[in-house]
mmCIF file of all heavy atoms in Angstrom:
data_model
loop_
_atom_site.group_PDB
_atom_site.id
_atom_site.type_symbol
_atom_site.label_atom_id
_atom_site.label_comp_id
_atom_site.label_asym_id
_atom_site.label_seq_id
_atom_site.Cartn_x
_atom_site.Cartn_y
_atom_site.Cartn_z
ATOM 1 N N ILE C 289 15.106 -8.009 22.149
ATOM 2 C CA ILE C 289 14.470 -8.394 23.414
ATOM 3 C C ILE C 289 13.643 -9.657 23.208
ATOM 4 O O ILE C 289 13.723 -10.601 24.003
ATOM 5 C CB ILE C 289 13.611 -7.238 23.965
ATOM 6 C CG1 ILE C 289 14.519 -6.081 24.415
ATOM 7 C CG2 ILE C 289 12.723 -7.717 25.125
ATOM 8 C CD1 ILE C 289 13.787 -4.795 24.753
ATOM 9 N N CYS C 293 14.360 -13.277 25.031
ATOM 10 C CA CYS C 293 13.312 -13.970 25.791
ATOM 11 C C CYS C 293 13.137 -15.396 25.274
ATOM 12 O O CYS C 293 13.039 -16.342 26.062
ATOM 13 C CB CYS C 293 11.992 -13.215 25.713
ATOM 14 S SG CYS C 293 11.948 -11.736 26.721
ATOM 15 N N LEU C 298 11.558 -17.371 28.246
ATOM 16 C CA LEU C 298 10.783 -16.438 29.062
ATOM 17 C C LEU C 298 9.561 -15.956 28.294
ATOM 18 O O LEU C 298 9.678 -15.547 27.146
ATOM 19 C CB LEU C 298 11.619 -15.193 29.411
ATOM 20 C CG LEU C 298 12.730 -15.326 30.424
ATOM 21 C CD1 LEU C 298 13.487 -14.011 30.535
ATOM 22 C CD2 LEU C 298 12.172 -15.716 31.774
ATOM 23 N N THR C 299 8.416 -15.981 28.943
ATOM 24 C CA THR C 299 7.225 -15.368 28.366
ATOM 25 C C THR C 299 7.246 -13.878 28.707
ATOM 26 O O THR C 299 8.027 -13.437 29.565
ATOM 27 C CB THR C 299 5.945 -15.991 28.957
ATOM 28 O OG1 THR C 299 5.905 -15.694 30.359
ATOM 29 C CG2 THR C 299 5.903 -17.496 28.727
ATOM 30 N N GLN C 300 6.377 -13.132 28.058
ATOM 31 C CA GLN C 300 6.265 -11.708 28.392
ATOM 32 C C GLN C 300 5.839 -11.536 29.843
ATOM 33 O O GLN C 300 6.307 -10.619 30.521
ATOM 34 C CB GLN C 300 5.291 -11.019 27.449
ATOM 35 C CG GLN C 300 5.829 -10.913 26.043
ATOM 36 C CD GLN C 300 4.803 -10.466 25.031
ATOM 37 O OE1 GLN C 300 3.604 -10.544 25.270
ATOM 38 N NE2 GLN C 300 5.267 -10.004 23.884
ATOM 39 N N GLU C 301 4.970 -12.424 30.328
ATOM 40 C CA GLU C 301 4.540 -12.356 31.730
ATOM 41 C C GLU C 301 5.715 -12.568 32.675
ATOM 42 O O GLU C 301 5.836 -11.882 33.691
ATOM 43 C CB GLU C 301 3.450 -13.411 32.019
ATOM 44 C CG GLU C 301 2.122 -13.130 31.367
ATOM 45 C CD GLU C 301 2.026 -13.652 29.932
ATOM 46 O OE1 GLU C 301 2.992 -14.273 29.422
ATOM 47 O OE2 GLU C 301 1.000 -13.395 29.300
ATOM 48 N N MET C 302 6.577 -13.527 32.340
ATOM 49 C CA MET C 302 7.748 -13.804 33.177
ATOM 50 C C MET C 302 8.713 -12.617 33.175
ATOM 51 O O MET C 302 9.258 -12.253 34.220
ATOM 52 C CB MET C 302 8.442 -15.077 32.709
ATOM 53 C CG MET C 302 7.589 -16.326 32.892
ATOM 54 S SD MET C 302 8.204 -17.738 31.958
ATOM 55 C CE MET C 302 9.537 -18.294 32.983
ATOM 56 N N LEU C 303 8.926 -12.026 31.987
ATOM 57 C CA LEU C 303 9.815 -10.860 31.907
ATOM 58 C C LEU C 303 9.222 -9.691 32.688
ATOM 59 O O LEU C 303 9.944 -8.998 33.407
ATOM 60 C CB LEU C 303 10.073 -10.468 30.449
ATOM 61 C CG LEU C 303 11.007 -9.276 30.235
ATOM 62 C CD1 LEU C 303 12.371 -9.516 30.887
ATOM 63 C CD2 LEU C 303 11.168 -8.979 28.752
ATOM 64 N N ALA C 304 7.914 -9.493 32.570
ATOM 65 C CA ALA C 304 7.252 -8.417 33.331
ATOM 66 C C ALA C 304 7.449 -8.631 34.826
ATOM 67 O O ALA C 304 7.713 -7.673 35.568
ATOM 68 C CB ALA C 304 5.768 -8.355 32.974
ATOM 69 N N ALA C 305 7.345 -9.871 35.282
ATOM 70 C CA ALA C 305 7.550 -10.172 36.703
ATOM 71 C C ALA C 305 8.979 -9.864 37.127
ATOM 72 O O ALA C 305 9.206 -9.288 38.201
ATOM 73 C CB ALA C 305 7.211 -11.631 36.984
ATOM 74 N N ARG C 306 9.945 -10.223 36.295
ATOM 75 C CA ARG C 306 11.348 -9.912 36.607
ATOM 76 C C ARG C 306 11.568 -8.402 36.670
ATOM 77 O O ARG C 306 12.330 -7.921 37.507
ATOM 78 C CB ARG C 306 12.286 -10.513 35.560
ATOM 79 C CG ARG C 306 12.521 -11.989 35.719
ATOM 80 C CD ARG C 306 13.660 -12.397 34.805
ATOM 81 N NE ARG C 306 13.905 -13.817 34.809
ATOM 82 C CZ ARG C 306 14.871 -14.390 34.107
ATOM 83 N NH1 ARG C 306 15.668 -13.667 33.335
ATOM 84 N NH2 ARG C 306 15.047 -15.691 34.153
ATOM 85 N N CYS C 307 10.931 -7.668 35.782
ATOM 86 C CA CYS C 307 11.051 -6.206 35.804
ATOM 87 C C CYS C 307 10.473 -5.658 37.107
ATOM 88 O O CYS C 307 11.032 -4.731 37.694
ATOM 89 C CB CYS C 307 10.337 -5.582 34.602
ATOM 90 S SG CYS C 307 11.158 -5.900 33.022
ATOM 91 N N GLY C 308 9.381 -6.240 37.562
ATOM 92 C CA GLY C 308 8.780 -5.826 38.831
ATOM 93 C C GLY C 308 9.712 -6.071 40.002
ATOM 94 O O GLY C 308 9.795 -5.254 40.920
ATOM 95 N N VAL C 309 10.426 -7.184 39.967
ATOM 96 C CA VAL C 309 11.401 -7.489 41.023
ATOM 97 C C VAL C 309 12.516 -6.453 41.012
ATOM 98 O O VAL C 309 13.056 -6.094 42.049
ATOM 99 C CB VAL C 309 11.963 -8.925 40.861
ATOM 100 C CG1 VAL C 309 13.143 -9.172 41.771
ATOM 101 C CG2 VAL C 309 10.867 -9.955 41.125
ATOM 102 N N ALA C 310 12.845 -5.944 39.821
ATOM 103 C CA ALA C 310 13.875 -4.910 39.688
ATOM 104 C C ALA C 310 13.318 -3.541 40.074
ATOM 105 O O ALA C 310 13.943 -2.518 39.860
ATOM 106 C CB ALA C 310 14.418 -4.874 38.267
ATOM 107 N N ASP C 311 12.086 -3.542 40.613
ATOM 108 C CA ASP C 311 11.450 -2.341 41.158
ATOM 109 C C ASP C 311 10.961 -1.358 40.096
ATOM 110 O O ASP C 311 10.934 -0.160 40.324
ATOM 111 C CB ASP C 311 12.365 -1.635 42.150
ATOM 112 C CG ASP C 311 11.607 -1.183 43.390
ATOM 113 O OD1 ASP C 311 10.489 -1.678 43.605
ATOM 114 O OD2 ASP C 311 12.118 -0.330 44.122
ATOM 115 N N HIS C 312 10.599 -1.891 38.938
ATOM 116 C CA HIS C 312 10.017 -1.043 37.891
ATOM 117 C C HIS C 312 8.949 -1.849 37.173
ATOM 118 O O HIS C 312 9.258 -2.865 36.542
ATOM 119 C CB HIS C 312 11.088 -0.580 36.901
ATOM 120 C CG HIS C 312 10.596 0.460 35.954
ATOM 121 N ND1 HIS C 312 10.532 1.782 36.297
ATOM 122 C CD2 HIS C 312 10.136 0.368 34.691
ATOM 123 C CE1 HIS C 312 10.048 2.466 35.268
ATOM 124 N NE2 HIS C 312 9.803 1.623 34.277
ATOM 125 N N GLU C 313 7.722 -1.425 37.274
ATOM 126 C CA GLU C 313 6.611 -2.139 36.655
ATOM 127 C C GLU C 313 6.563 -1.874 35.153
ATOM 128 O O GLU C 313 6.494 -0.732 34.719
ATOM 129 C CB GLU C 313 5.280 -1.704 37.287
ATOM 130 C CG GLU C 313 5.162 -2.045 38.764
ATOM 131 C CD GLU C 313 5.185 -3.535 39.051
ATOM 132 O OE1 GLU C 313 4.602 -4.316 38.273
ATOM 133 O OE2 GLU C 313 5.814 -3.924 40.059
ATOM 134 N N ILE C 314 6.644 -2.936 34.388
ATOM 135 C CA ILE C 314 6.443 -2.873 32.942
ATOM 136 C C ILE C 314 5.438 -3.976 32.634
ATOM 137 O O ILE C 314 5.708 -5.153 32.885
ATOM 138 C CB ILE C 314 7.756 -3.088 32.153
ATOM 139 C CG1 ILE C 314 8.799 -2.040 32.525
ATOM 140 C CG2 ILE C 314 7.486 -3.043 30.647
ATOM 141 C CD1 ILE C 314 10.155 -2.241 31.867
ATOM 142 N N SER C 315 4.291 -3.608 32.114
ATOM 143 C CA SER C 315 3.236 -4.595 31.874
ATOM 144 C C SER C 315 3.559 -5.491 30.686
ATOM 145 O O SER C 315 4.383 -5.153 29.832
ATOM 146 C CB SER C 315 1.901 -3.888 31.629
ATOM 147 O OG SER C 315 1.898 -3.269 30.364
ATOM 148 N N ARG C 316 2.867 -6.626 30.632
ATOM 149 C CA ARG C 316 3.008 -7.543 29.512
ATOM 150 C C ARG C 316 2.617 -6.848 28.208
ATOM 151 O O ARG C 316 3.274 -7.007 27.183
ATOM 152 C CB ARG C 316 2.137 -8.791 29.722
ATOM 153 C CG ARG C 316 2.456 -9.860 28.697
ATOM 154 C CD ARG C 316 1.263 -10.717 28.344
ATOM 155 N NE ARG C 316 0.142 -9.991 27.785
ATOM 156 C CZ ARG C 316 0.037 -9.606 26.506
ATOM 157 N NH1 ARG C 316 1.007 -9.838 25.650
ATOM 158 N NH2 ARG C 316 -1.026 -8.959 26.078
ATOM 159 N N THR C 318 2.832 -3.644 27.505
ATOM 160 C CA THR C 318 3.912 -2.713 27.148
ATOM 161 C C THR C 318 5.079 -3.467 26.525
ATOM 162 O O THR C 318 5.636 -3.047 25.510
ATOM 163 C CB THR C 318 4.374 -1.914 28.375
ATOM 164 O OG1 THR C 318 3.279 -1.108 28.828
ATOM 165 C CG2 THR C 318 5.577 -1.046 28.074
ATOM 166 N N LEU C 319 5.431 -4.600 27.117
ATOM 167 C CA LEU C 319 6.521 -5.410 26.556
ATOM 168 C C LEU C 319 6.180 -5.890 25.151
ATOM 169 O O LEU C 319 7.038 -5.887 24.261
ATOM 170 C CB LEU C 319 6.822 -6.612 27.461
ATOM 171 C CG LEU C 319 7.525 -6.281 28.774
ATOM 172 C CD1 LEU C 319 7.540 -7.488 29.690
ATOM 173 C CD2 LEU C 319 8.938 -5.770 28.532
ATOM 174 N N ILE C 322 6.763 -3.041 22.815
ATOM 175 C CA ILE C 322 8.205 -2.796 22.649
ATOM 176 C C ILE C 322 8.791 -3.848 21.712
ATOM 177 O O ILE C 322 9.526 -3.526 20.778
ATOM 178 C CB ILE C 322 8.927 -2.784 24.015
ATOM 179 C CG1 ILE C 322 8.537 -1.536 24.809
ATOM 180 C CG2 ILE C 322 10.447 -2.861 23.819
ATOM 181 C CD1 ILE C 322 8.988 -1.549 26.263
ATOM 182 N N GLU C 323 8.455 -5.124 21.959
ATOM 183 C CA GLU C 323 8.978 -6.204 21.112
ATOM 184 C C GLU C 323 8.527 -6.056 19.664
ATOM 185 O O GLU C 323 9.288 -6.356 18.744
ATOM 186 C CB GLU C 323 8.524 -7.560 21.654
ATOM 187 C CG GLU C 323 9.240 -7.975 22.917
ATOM 188 C CD GLU C 323 8.805 -9.350 23.398
ATOM 189 O OE1 GLU C 323 8.066 -10.054 22.667
ATOM 190 O OE2 GLU C 323 9.207 -9.728 24.504
ATOM 191 N N ILE C 329 10.941 3.083 23.769
ATOM 192 C CA ILE C 329 11.363 2.545 25.060
ATOM 193 C C ILE C 329 12.155 3.610 25.795
ATOM 194 O O ILE C 329 13.084 4.203 25.246
ATOM 195 C CB ILE C 329 12.157 1.231 24.881
ATOM 196 C CG1 ILE C 329 12.544 0.640 26.229
ATOM 197 C CG2 ILE C 329 13.341 1.416 23.971
ATOM 198 C CD1 ILE C 329 13.048 -0.783 26.144
ATOM 199 N N VAL C 332 15.120 4.223 31.256
ATOM 200 C CA VAL C 332 15.009 3.426 32.482
ATOM 201 C C VAL C 332 14.413 2.053 32.170
ATOM 202 O O VAL C 332 14.822 1.047 32.751
ATOM 203 C CB VAL C 332 14.202 4.166 33.583
ATOM 204 C CG1 VAL C 332 12.738 4.307 33.213
ATOM 205 C CG2 VAL C 332 14.355 3.475 34.929
ATOM 206 N N GLU C 333 13.489 1.983 31.213
ATOM 207 C CA GLU C 333 12.918 0.688 30.825
ATOM 208 C C GLU C 333 13.985 -0.190 30.181
ATOM 209 O O GLU C 333 14.052 -1.394 30.460
ATOM 210 C CB GLU C 333 11.762 0.882 29.849
ATOM 211 C CG GLU C 333 10.540 1.508 30.462
ATOM 212 C CD GLU C 333 9.480 1.882 29.448
ATOM 213 O OE1 GLU C 333 9.822 2.239 28.299
ATOM 214 O OE2 GLU C 333 8.291 1.816 29.817
ATOM 215 N N LEU C 334 14.814 0.393 29.360
ATOM 216 C CA LEU C 334 15.898 -0.337 28.711
ATOM 217 C C LEU C 334 16.837 -0.934 29.763
ATOM 218 O O LEU C 334 17.212 -2.106 29.696
ATOM 219 C CB LEU C 334 16.659 0.593 27.768
ATOM 220 C CG LEU C 334 17.695 -0.026 26.864
ATOM 221 C CD1 LEU C 334 17.078 -1.037 25.923
ATOM 222 C CD2 LEU C 334 18.386 1.055 26.068
ATOM 223 N N PHE C 335 17.183 -0.123 30.744
ATOM 224 C CA PHE C 335 18.078 -0.565 31.814
ATOM 225 C C PHE C 335 17.444 -1.704 32.608
ATOM 226 O O PHE C 335 18.082 -2.729 32.870
ATOM 227 C CB PHE C 335 18.412 0.618 32.732
ATOM 228 C CG PHE C 335 19.355 0.275 33.830
ATOM 229 C CD1 PHE C 335 20.706 0.111 33.584
ATOM 230 C CD2 PHE C 335 18.892 0.120 35.125
ATOM 231 C CE1 PHE C 335 21.587 -0.219 34.605
ATOM 232 C CE2 PHE C 335 19.765 -0.212 36.155
ATOM 233 C CZ PHE C 335 21.115 -0.383 35.892
ATOM 234 N N VAL C 336 16.176 -1.554 32.987
ATOM 235 C CA VAL C 336 15.478 -2.566 33.784
ATOM 236 C C VAL C 336 15.324 -3.865 32.989
ATOM 237 O O VAL C 336 15.520 -4.955 33.531
ATOM 238 C CB VAL C 336 14.104 -2.034 34.259
ATOM 239 C CG1 VAL C 336 13.248 -3.143 34.839
ATOM 240 C CG2 VAL C 336 14.305 -0.930 35.292
ATOM 241 N N ILE C 337 14.991 -3.762 31.707
ATOM 242 C CA ILE C 337 14.843 -4.962 30.884
ATOM 243 C C ILE C 337 16.180 -5.684 30.746
ATOM 244 O O ILE C 337 16.238 -6.918 30.815
ATOM 245 C CB ILE C 337 14.218 -4.616 29.512
ATOM 246 C CG1 ILE C 337 12.743 -4.229 29.721
ATOM 247 C CG2 ILE C 337 14.350 -5.779 28.541
ATOM 248 C CD1 ILE C 337 12.071 -3.665 28.484
ATOM 249 N N ALA C 338 17.271 -4.940 30.571
ATOM 250 C CA ALA C 338 18.602 -5.564 30.510
ATOM 251 C C ALA C 338 18.890 -6.306 31.817
ATOM 252 O O ALA C 338 19.374 -7.446 31.796
ATOM 253 C CB ALA C 338 19.674 -4.513 30.229
ATOM 254 N N LEU C 339 18.581 -5.680 32.943
ATOM 255 C CA LEU C 339 18.767 -6.357 34.236
ATOM 256 C C LEU C 339 17.914 -7.613 34.314
ATOM 257 O O LEU C 339 18.384 -8.670 34.744
ATOM 258 C CB LEU C 339 18.375 -5.423 35.397
ATOM 259 C CG LEU C 339 19.367 -4.356 35.809
ATOM 260 C CD1 LEU C 339 18.756 -3.465 36.889
ATOM 261 C CD2 LEU C 339 20.650 -4.994 36.338
ATOM 262 N N ALA C 340 16.649 -7.490 33.922
ATOM 263 C CA ALA C 340 15.720 -8.616 33.991
ATOM 264 C C ALA C 340 16.149 -9.764 33.084
ATOM 265 O O ALA C 340 15.950 -10.932 33.412
ATOM 266 C CB ALA C 340 14.315 -8.151 33.635
ATOM 267 N N LEU C 341 16.757 -9.436 31.941
ATOM 268 C CA LEU C 341 17.235 -10.460 31.010
ATOM 269 C C LEU C 341 18.641 -10.940 31.366
ATOM 270 O O LEU C 341 19.165 -11.854 30.725
ATOM 271 C CB LEU C 341 17.220 -9.923 29.576
ATOM 272 C CG LEU C 341 15.840 -9.748 28.956
ATOM 273 C CD1 LEU C 341 15.945 -9.001 27.634
ATOM 274 C CD2 LEU C 341 15.169 -11.101 28.757
ATOM 275 N N ARG C 342 19.241 -10.276 32.348
ATOM 276 C CA ARG C 342 20.587 -10.618 32.819
ATOM 277 C C ARG C 342 21.626 -10.532 31.701
ATOM 278 O O ARG C 342 22.445 -11.422 31.499
ATOM 279 C CB ARG C 342 20.577 -12.007 33.452
ATOM 280 C CG ARG C 342 19.638 -12.082 34.640
ATOM 281 C CD ARG C 342 19.549 -13.454 35.238
ATOM 282 N NE ARG C 342 18.646 -13.416 36.385
ATOM 283 C CZ ARG C 342 17.664 -14.291 36.565
ATOM 284 N NH1 ARG C 342 17.469 -15.265 35.711
ATOM 285 N NH2 ARG C 342 16.878 -14.189 37.621
ATOM 286 N N ILE C 348 21.487 -5.702 24.206
ATOM 287 C CA ILE C 348 20.115 -5.500 23.753
ATOM 288 C C ILE C 348 20.081 -4.782 22.399
ATOM 289 O O ILE C 348 19.068 -4.796 21.717
ATOM 290 C CB ILE C 348 19.315 -4.714 24.821
ATOM 291 C CG1 ILE C 348 19.109 -5.617 26.036
ATOM 292 C CG2 ILE C 348 17.986 -4.239 24.304
ATOM 293 C CD1 ILE C 348 18.268 -5.013 27.115
#
Side-chain angles (χ1 to χ4, degrees):
I289 291 170
C293 285
L298 287 176
T299 64
Q300 290 170 341
E301 290 86 1
M302 295 165 79
L303 181 57
R306 282 191 184 182
C307 290
V309 169
D311 223 16
H312 190 82
E313 296 297 322
I314 301 176
S315 72
R316 190 211 60 81
T318 296
L319 288 170
I322 290 169
E323 287 182 8
I329 182 167
V332 68
E333 291 171 328
L334 188 61
F335 182 76
V336 168
I337 290 171
L339 281 175
L341 288 171
R342 300 177 179 131
I348 290 184

